[in-house]
Amino acid sequence: MDALPKSRTQSGRREQTKLQNRETILAAARQVFAEMGFAAATVRDIIRATPLASGTFYNYFKSKEEVYQALRDDVALAIRPRLREARLAAASREELLSGGFRTFFAFVAEQRGAPSAVPETSRFRMDSPEVLAGFAELRADLDTAIAQGLLPPVDAQVLAAALAGVAFELAERVKADGDVEAATGFATALFLGGINALPVRD
Amino acid sequence: MDALPKSRTQSGRREQTKLQNRETILAAARQVFAEMGFAAATVRDIIRATPLASGTFYNYFKSKEEVYQALRDDVALAIRPRLREARLAAASREELLSGGFRTFFAFVAEQRGAPSAVPETSRFRMDSPEVLAGFAELRADLDTAIAQGLLPPVDAQVLAAALAGVAFELAERVKADGDVEAATGFATALFLGGINALPVRD
Amino acid sequence: MDALPKSRTQSGRREQTKLQNRETILAAARQVFAEMGFAAATVRDIIRATPLASGTFYNYFKSKEEVYQALRDDVALAIRPRLREARLAAASREELLSGGFRTFFAFVAEQRGAPSAVPETSRFRMDSPEVLAGFAELRADLDTAIAQGLLPPVDAQVLAAALAGVAFELAERVKADGDVEAATGFATALFLGGINALPVRD
Amino acid sequence: MDALPKSRTQSGRREQTKLQNRETILAAARQVFAEMGFAAATVRDIIRATPLASGTFYNYFKSKEEVYQALRDDVALAIRPRLREARLAAASREELLSGGFRTFFAFVAEQRGAPSAVPETSRFRMDSPEVLAGFAELRADLDTAIAQGLLPPVDAQVLAAALAGVAFELAERVKADGDVEAATGFATALFLGGINALPVRD
DNA sequence: TATGAATGAGGCTTCATTCAT
DNA sequence: AATGAATGAAGCCTCATTCAT
């Protein structure tokens, strides 16, 4: 957290600061969660990574869980429209798959921030409303693609889970090596080849 | 002051008790983590779910993280030999894939315990040594399969990640619906069809 | 920059508002003290029961204690003149006693407000200046009555304490059952009979 | 609170200390409540008046309210048997009244501890089970006395309230001047004279 | 080894109060 | 005056851990 000087004399800062404090807290929380993991992090840790007073935290969030969800939602909110767009623009099965994967992995590569101090031995996923909405959206788009004939009539729910599983797992590699195209190529080829072999719905 | 053992069974009892205490703590921890999630659980919560005294906990574990890893390792230790066996017994690519997935999903279905009190909106994965060893083992087995000609010469590391991603994600569905065969069929078909399409190593 | 009053009514409105805010706070405090007890109540609770901002509270009161005293004083201020009048109008010892008790119990019955949310197992008495003045007034009136021959020359201070003790304790019953006349009859008879037996001052 | 040295070397002290800590806390609480009043006192204040660690408080009590009730109960537990005995030993109405008042006022005089630092402007009464039991006992004894003919058939409940009111109010004077006999004489005479004049039950 | 009371650090949260607007 | 976000002291309480028994 860069020191935002807290001196009272910079009164002009206050009016900006108002709801920008929220951003300050979110940034600090992102940092703290990355450094020590969500489970170990405390509200105090977040506050300490901030020039703000402890009480101020509670003007914005009720708990670290609420901050976490806000972060998640920010991410989901940022990535969802991009994914949507990529999928809707697809004119072929290959474009649907490669477009989705490439968009996702590119986003992951972008987010590669300060590498964790702790080698980060735990991963965590909180299915906030926004994240769940992202899943639902994926599934809906798959259904649309099936209707359009871009995909065979497979179980969209399960296919969505498989896509997400591969995406999240390969994302770990992208975080490490930043190679978006390799991951995209692999995942696209896998599903391009595999989808035809899937059992179709009755 | 050597022990004149009060009775032979007593010393036997003591050893048993020692092992039992460890199991008691692990069982309580499994329960507690399921009920309130890992992040919220405390050592005290685990002790309270036990007839033991607080100090006793520290004769067996140093922290809840250590308990968590022990649980993880127990799971990994239980599943790894089964997976190994399934993979080594495979005489065809189809057997390799379906055997591995079926073994994994069957294990997950077995473990489906009392559903969490908290709707459990977060999922954790702690890459303890045992879990990482499981990954390494998978990768080694893939390499062996490639050498045997059961698989084409793809990047085993990435394929392992994709297999794990699909396995873990579909595991959530198996936890929910218990349908091992459906998940096995889907995953096997996907990879059976997809593997041929994958880029091969140079 | 003298005020060109935007309208005459506005300045009138402002003064009214000022008084109204004080009343608003007192009313909220009465409510809050009744609902959660004095000890548990906080300034914030009082503010929250108000449409006003937190800072505004401090334009009127310094603390919850000050609010409490103001409430007390309001009560004492309301009851004292009535008690005074009742006692001064008394032409006989019976009238002196019954008039005083009846006035007091009638006031208590009037105040019986919404019953406390908390079963209220604690009772407070804060001897604010106004309350102490009420005591002094009672004592002075007793001295006057002694001088007038309405009462024998007993220790007015102690008699005042005994009267107050019975009055406050029976008040609890009146709060519960609202039976002003029963309490008045009992207390009057007790003192009417007892006063003659009291030791007289030397 | 006298400093009980907290050094670890005095290991012999520990076993005594075990449940004697409870007494330490109660003594500190008595002191603190007397000095700053119940409403203003905090758990921390009580702990600070103790050589104990903060966590230890919670091994014995859950809140200051619980401490207060324990104190109240101690008092009620100490005074009730004495009052009971005094009343049961009474062979005449005069003995019944004077015995009860004298016992109560003597107890109050005994308890006169360190005078409050703050002039103590608030009084507080928490009707814990023990206190309520004391009231019930008084009432039962009055009924017994009525049955024995020591008292006329008045409303025992209301008479009990009147007796308590006078007793508690005169107790304030006894706390101040310590004159047990004066208070006893006054109260006894008042009720001795007044009881005959009370309305009798139908 | 097991016990469980004691410890005190430290997390969580609210509070009274200030002060720039 | 009124507002209400910010402050940070401080209360509440639990926690992990120790250690005498």
Side-chain angles (χ1 to χ4, degrees):
Chain A
M1 198 66 340
D2 290 355
L4 296 178
K6 66 194 287 193
S7 110
R8 297 265 170 82
T9 62
Q10 313 216 356
S11 63
R13 188 68 59 95
R14 275 283 168 88
E15 62 252 37
Q16 298 173 351
T17 304
K18 271 271 186 63
L19 279 171
Q20 193 181 349
N21 278 348
R22 190 169 191 280
E23 288 312 310
T24 302
I25 292 170
L26 286 174
R30 194 160 15 231
Q31 178 79 6
V32 167
F33 289 155
E35 269 170 20
M36 48 197 299
F38 176 82
T42 68
V43 171
R44 281 193 85 178
D45 292 323
I46 299 170
I47 294 166
R48 276 199 283 258
T50 263
L52 303 173
S54 56
T56 304
F57 178 90
Y58 294 94
N59 291 342
Y60 295 94
F61 300 98
K62 276 212 272 283
S63 63
K64 70 166 173 171
E65 277 77 15
E66 213 174 283
V67 179
Y68 189 85
Q69 292 221 346
L71 285 176
R72 273 283 170 199
D73 290 356
D74 279 5
V75 170
L77 226 44
I79 183 69
R80 273 173 54 201
R82 296 203 216 170
L83 285 171
R84 202 103 237 244
E85 187 182 7
R87 293 193 297 246
L88 293 182
S92 67
R93 188 182 296 180
E94 196 281 340
E95 274 178 40
L96 179 68
L97 292 167
S98 69
F101 280 121
R102 183 172 291 110
T103 302
F104 182 70
F105 293 134
F107 183 82
V108 167
E110 259 174 46
Q111 304 282 316
R112 279 205 301 168
S116 172
V118 178
E120 191 57 297
T121 56
S122 59
R123 278 184 265 155
F124 191 60
R125 191 171 111 202
M126 188 171 283
D127 294 335
S128 76
E130 272 297 333
V131 173
L132 292 177
F135 258 85
E137 222 166 63
L138 169 58
R139 198 217 146 134
D141 287 351
L142 293 180
D143 277 325
T144 302
I146 290 168
Q148 291 172 337
L150 281 186
L151 292 177
V154 300
D155 184 329
Q157 182 81 51
V158 181
L159 180 57
L163 288 164
V166 170
F168 285 136
E169 202 69 29
L170 294 196
E172 297 300 314
R173 289 184 59 84
V174 172
K175 278 182 204 165
D177 67 21
D179 191 341
V180 171
E181 284 311 313
T184 302
F186 186 97
T188 302
L190 176 66
F191 280 91
L192 220 39
I195 278 174
N196 282 326
L198 291 180
V200 298
R201 285 179 309 188
D202 41 355
Chain B
M1 190 161 293
D2 265 5
L4 287 177
K6 284 178 182 171
S7 80
R8 187 174 302 174
T9 63
Q10 166 140 104
S11 78
R13 170 93 54 90
R14 193 169 291 169
E15 276 166 38
Q16 198 186 37
T17 298
K18 202 176 151 187
L19 275 179
Q20 269 184 343
N21 280 350
R22 193 172 188 280
E23 285 312 308
T24 301
I25 291 170
L26 285 174
R30 200 173 353 246
Q31 176 79 8
V32 166
F33 290 155
E35 268 170 20
M36 47 195 302
F38 176 80
T42 67
V43 171
R44 289 188 71 154
D45 292 323
I46 298 170
I47 293 167
R48 276 198 283 259
T50 263
L52 303 173
S54 51
T56 304
F57 178 90
Y58 294 93
N59 291 338
Y60 296 95
F61 301 98
K62 274 215 274 287
S63 64
K64 72 165 173 171
E65 277 76 16
E66 214 176 280
V67 178
Y68 188 86
Q69 293 220 344
L71 284 176
R72 272 286 172 196
D73 289 355
D74 277 6
V75 170
L77 224 45
I79 181 69
R80 271 173 54 200
R82 296 205 217 171
L83 284 171
R84 204 96 238 249
E85 187 183 9
R87 292 194 295 248
L88 292 181
S92 68
R93 187 182 297 179
E94 195 281 339
E95 273 179 41
L96 177 70
L97 292 168
S98 70
F101 280 122
R102 182 174 290 108
T103 303
F104 183 71
F105 293 136
F107 183 82
V108 166
E110 263 175 43
Q111 304 283 316
R112 278 205 301 167
S116 172
V118 179
E120 193 56 297
T121 55
S122 54
R123 281 183 261 155
F124 254 114
R125 197 175 103 201
M126 190 170 284
D127 295 336
S128 75
E130 274 297 335
V131 172
L132 292 177
F135 257 83
E137 223 166 62
L138 169 58
R139 197 215 148 135
D141 287 352
L142 293 180
D143 276 325
T144 302
I146 289 169
Q148 291 173 336
L150 280 185
L151 293 179
V154 300
D155 183 329
Q157 182 81 49
V158 181
L159 179 58
L163 287 164
V166 169
F168 285 136
E169 202 68 30
L170 293 195
E172 296 301 315
R173 290 185 57 85
V174 172
K175 279 181 203 165
D177 67 22
D179 191 339
V180 172
E181 283 311 314
T184 302
F186 186 96
T188 301
L190 177 66
F191 280 91
L192 220 39
I195 278 173
N196 282 325
L198 291 180
V200 298
R201 283 180 309 190
D202 38 355
Chain C
M1 191 159 292
D2 264 6
L4 287 180
K6 285 180 181 168
S7 80
R8 187 173 300 174
T9 63
Q10 166 141 103
S11 80
R13 171 96 52 92
R14 191 169 290 169
E15 276 167 38
Q16 199 188 32
T17 298
K18 200 175 152 190
L19 275 178
Q20 268 183 344
N21 279 351
R22 193 170 188 280
E23 285 312 309
T24 300
I25 292 170
L26 286 174
R30 199 172 356 245
Q31 176 78 7
V32 167
F33 289 155
E35 268 169 21
M36 47 197 298
F38 176 81
T42 68
V43 171
R44 287 187 72 153
D45 292 323
I46 299 170
I47 292 168
R48 275 198 283 258
T50 262
L52 303 173
S54 53
T56 305
F57 178 90
Y58 293 93
N59 292 338
Y60 297 95
F61 301 98
K62 274 214 273 286
S63 64
K64 75 165 171 172
E65 277 76 15
E66 213 175 282
V67 179
Y68 189 85
Q69 293 219 345
L71 284 175
R72 271 286 172 199
D73 290 355
D74 278 4
V75 170
L77 223 46
I79 181 69
R80 273 172 56 199
R82 297 204 216 171
L83 285 171
R84 205 95 247 237
E85 187 183 9
R87 293 193 296 248
L88 293 180
S92 67
R93 185 181 298 179
E94 196 281 341
E95 275 179 38
L96 178 68
L97 292 167
S98 69
F101 280 121
R102 182 173 292 108
T103 302
F104 183 71
F105 293 134
F107 183 82
V108 166
E110 260 173 44
Q111 304 282 317
R112 278 203 301 168
S116 172
V118 180
E120 195 56 297
T121 56
S122 56
R123 280 185 260 155
F124 253 112
R125 197 174 104 201
M126 189 168 284
D127 295 337
S128 75
E130 272 297 332
V131 172
L132 292 177
F135 256 84
E137 222 166 62
L138 169 58
R139 199 215 147 137
D141 287 352
L142 292 180
D143 275 325
T144 302
I146 290 168
Q148 289 173 338
L150 281 185
L151 293 177
V154 298
D155 184 329
Q157 183 82 48
V158 182
L159 179 57
L163 288 163
V166 170
F168 285 135
E169 202 67 31
L170 294 195
E172 296 300 316
R173 289 185 57 84
V174 172
K175 278 180 204 167
D177 67 21
D179 192 341
V180 172
E181 284 311 312
T184 303
F186 186 98
T188 303
L190 176 67
F191 280 92
L192 220 40
I195 278 173
N196 282 324
L198 291 179
V200 297
R201 286 179 308 188
D202 39 355
Chain D
M1 199 66 343
D2 288 355
L4 296 177
K6 65 193 289 193
S7 108
R8 297 262 168 86
T9 65
Q10 313 218 354
S11 64
R13 187 70 59 93
R14 275 282 169 89
E15 64 252 36
Q16 298 173 354
T17 303
K18 270 272 187 60
L19 278 171
Q20 194 183 348
N21 279 348
R22 191 170 190 278
E23 287 313 309
T24 301
I25 292 171
L26 286 174
R30 192 158 18 231
Q31 179 78 8
V32 167
F33 290 155
E35 268 170 19
M36 47 196 302
F38 177 82
T42 68
V43 171
R44 282 194 84 177
D45 292 324
I46 298 170
I47 294 166
R48 276 198 283 258
T50 263
L52 303 172
S54 55
T56 304
F57 178 90
Y58 294 95
N59 291 341
Y60 296 95
F61 301 99
K62 275 213 274 285
S63 63
K64 71 168 173 171
E65 277 76 14
E66 212 174 283
V67 179
Y68 190 87
Q69 291 219 346
L71 284 175
R72 273 285 169 196
D73 290 356
D74 278 5
V75 170
L77 225 45
I79 181 70
R80 273 174 53 200
R82 296 204 217 171
L83 285 171
R84 197 105 237 245
E85 185 182 13
R87 292 193 296 247
L88 293 180
S92 68
R93 185 181 300 179
E94 196 280 340
E95 274 179 40
L96 179 69
L97 292 167
S98 71
F101 281 121
R102 182 174 291 109
T103 301
F104 183 71
F105 293 135
F107 183 83
V108 167
E110 260 174 46
Q111 303 283 317
R112 276 203 303 167
S116 172
V118 179
E120 191 56 297
T121 56
S122 60
R123 276 184 267 154
F124 191 58
R125 193 172 108 202
M126 189 171 284
D127 294 335
S128 75
E130 271 298 333
V131 172
L132 292 177
F135 257 85
E137 221 166 62
L138 169 58
R139 197 216 149 134
D141 287 351
L142 293 179
D143 277 324
T144 303
I146 290 168
Q148 291 172 335
L150 280 185
L151 292 178
V154 298
D155 183 330
Q157 182 81 51
V158 181
L159 180 57
L163 287 163
V166 168
F168 284 136
E169 202 67 31
L170 294 195
E172 296 300 315
R173 290 184 58 84
V174 172
K175 278 180 203 166
D177 67 21
D179 192 340
V180 171
E181 284 311 313
T184 302
F186 186 96
T188 302
L190 176 67
F191 280 91
L192 220 38
I195 277 174
N196 282 325
L198 291 180
V200 297
R201 286 180 306 189
D202 39 357

